[in-house]
Amino acid sequence: MTEALQIPRKSVGSGPRAVMSIDALIGRLTYDEEFAKNLATSPRVTLEEAGLSFDKEEIDFIMQTDPQRFDAACEALFNLVDGNFLYSITMPSCDT
């Protein structure tokens, strides 16, 4: 599988849960092929079962306070999963 991009850890104020979730998601995608398959077929359930949460406000905070880290995380994710998958999980859904 693809080698993970090393993202420097640094304090981002009130957004640490999202930062940890991003790091955990990237890390897990580098070694867990079953997780990657499950994420592609059922992203919300897979993320919930893995204990990974992404609140819009926290992601917005990371983007505003540490845009380089956010860009590096996005690049790492795009290197690990199909780009169409990332677009599909941001689309509105009837699932709640």
Side-chain angles (χ1 to χ4, degrees):
M1 201 164 248
T2 308
E3 190 174 315
L5 173 68
Q6 294 299 316
I7 301 173
R9 296 191 181 276
K10 106 182 200 189
S11 175
V12 293
S14 67
R17 186 176 63 186
V19 170
M20 291 182 348
S21 292
I22 290 170
D23 288 347
L25 175 61
I26 292 168
R28 187 141 179 206
L29 285 169
T30 64
Y31 69 86
D32 191 339
E33 291 183 25
E34 188 67 26
F35 176 76
K37 286 184 215 174
N38 291 340
L39 190 63
T41 58
S42 184
R44 289 182 184 193
V45 171
T46 303
L47 290 172
E48 185 177 297
E49 288 175 353
L52 302 174
S53 65
F54 297 95
D55 297 329
K56 181 184 180 328
E57 293 79 17
E58 288 182 347
I59 298 298
D60 288 343
F61 182 83
I62 295 168
M63 290 170 56
Q64 292 173 7
T65 60
D66 199 347
Q68 293 83 13
R69 181 186 177 93
F70 183 78
D71 288 346
C74 289
E75 183 176 329
L77 283 173
F78 273 102
N79 288 331
L80 292 168
V81 298
D82 183 321
N84 291 329
F85 164 72
L86 292 175
Y87 292 119
S88 72
I89 65 170
T90 61
M91 300 299 290
S93 173
C94 294
D95 297 341
T96 56

